[in-house]
């Protein structure tokens, strides 16, 4: 019986049978993996199998085709954050996105590190503006890792790299201010922090969420995965109300 022991981030959990659960975990070297947790709905394991938690996971399966049995040991709990509306919505969304978007068994080490960073920021930041920028960048990275990356380095119309302030929804490429004249209403705002790094004000963060949300909905969260966007809608709505 093959065994894999690895650190992991809990991304999704659903009930299976009377007492068990199927958990989907993001691992650093093996990507998204699913496993059956015996007693996963028990009082002892429910607090461990919360999206956003960091765990030590052991997967065992007789064949690659068989759903692995999974045991988990809690490394870091984010349960206290789930009683706070904004952090809870952020964790719910970013974990649901990861579980829905990634194919199983494909390594995405950069996404693992980035997701760990986002969850750590939600954990540590005293206010939402401290983690919202990281969340937008995670969405942008996920699009790129799945082959739907945005070209933000040059203007789609002129090829220049100066004064890039919009993104074309058709080409997913940046557009300069001059090239956008007359077409502004058809383009998506490109917030400066996605080009320059650093912190951002709320208007720019919300523009970033609008930008990544458009391409996630169009290219990644299609068909049956579209219901995952409800978690994102809750997050964006709570952010808008918090900064209104």
């Amino acid at each position: 019986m093959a065994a894999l022991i690895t650190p992991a981030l809990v991304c999704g959990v659903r009930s299976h049978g009377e007492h068990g659960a199927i958990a989907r975990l993001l691992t650093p070297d093996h990507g998204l993996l699913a496993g059956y947790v015996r007693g996963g709905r028990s009082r002892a394991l429910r607090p461990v199998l919360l999206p956003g938690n960091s765990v030590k996971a052991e997967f065992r399966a007789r064949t690659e085709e068989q759903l692995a049995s999974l045991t988990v040991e809690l490394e870091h709990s984010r349960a206290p954050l789930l009683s706070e509306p904004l952090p809870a919505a952020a964790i719910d969304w970013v974990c649901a996105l990861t579980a829905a978007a990634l194919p199983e068994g494909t390594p995405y080490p950069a996404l693992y590190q980035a997701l760990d960073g986002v969850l750590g920021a939600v954990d540590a930041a005293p206010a939402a503006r401290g983690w919202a920028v990281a969340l937008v960048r995670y969405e942008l990275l996920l699009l790129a890792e799945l082959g739907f990356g945005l070209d933000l380095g040059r203007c789609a119309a002129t090829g220049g790299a100066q004064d890039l302030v919009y993104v074309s929804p058709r080409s997913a490429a940046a557009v300069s201010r001059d090239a956008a004249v007359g077409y502004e209403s058809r383009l998506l705002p490109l917030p400066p922090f996605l080009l320059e790094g650093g912190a951002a004000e709320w208007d720019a963060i919300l523009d970033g969420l609008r930008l990544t949300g458009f391409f996630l909905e169009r290219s990644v969260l299609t068909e049956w995965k579209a219901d995952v966007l409800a978690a994102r809608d809750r997050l964006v709505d709570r952010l808008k109300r918090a900064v209104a």
Side-chain angles (χ1 to χ4, degrees), residues 212-243:
T212 52
F214 175 86
F215 290 103
L216 286 170
E217 184 170 1
R218 186 182 76 176
S219 303
V220 176
L221 298 173
T222 56
E223 299 177 0
W224 64 271
K225 294 179 181 178
D227 59 352
V228 177
L229 287 167
R232 192 177 198 275
D233 291 340
R234 287 192 295 272
L235 170 62
V236 173
D237 182 62
R238 288 179 181 178
L239 287 172
K240 288 180 177 178
R241 283 186 282 142
V243 302

Side-chain angles (χ1 to χ4, degrees), residues 49-189:
L49 293 174
L50 291 175
N53 278 357
S54 300
V55 299
K56 179 181 178 182
E58 181 174 352
F59 295 87
R60 289 185 174 271
R62 294 185 184 278
T63 67
E64 291 185 2
E65 293 75 23
Q66 180 188 43
L67 178 66
S69 64
L70 171 62
T71 58
V72 290
E73 178 182 333
L74 184 63
E75 296 283 341
H76 180 73
S77 174
R78 294 187 170 91
L81 296 172
L82 301 183
S83 63
E84 302 178 33
L86 274 174
I91 292 171
D92 183 33
W93 158 244
V94 77
C95 291
L97 169 64
T98 303
L102 300 188
E104 289 188 11
T106 301
Y108 292 101
L111 281 177
Y112 176 86
Q113 292 179 5
L115 179 58
D116 191 42
V118 172
L119 294 170
V122 175
D123 216 348
R129 201 158 67 94
W131 50 256
V133 165
L135 189 145
V136 175
R137 290 193 177 117
Y138 178 74
E139 294 180 345
L140 198 66
L141 176 64
L142 185 140
L143 283 164
E145 291 284 304
L146 293 178
F148 302 107
L150 280 60
D151 181 3
L152 304 182
R154 58 181 179 81
C155 175
T158 67
Q162 303 301 314
D163 204 18
L164 303 176
V165 294
Y166 294 101
V167 174
S168 165
R170 294 185 61 184
S171 67
V175 180
S176 68
R177 193 183 307 275
D178 288 345
V181 172
Y183 298 93
E184 293 91 343
S185 63
R186 304 181 191 179
L187 303 172
L188 296 163

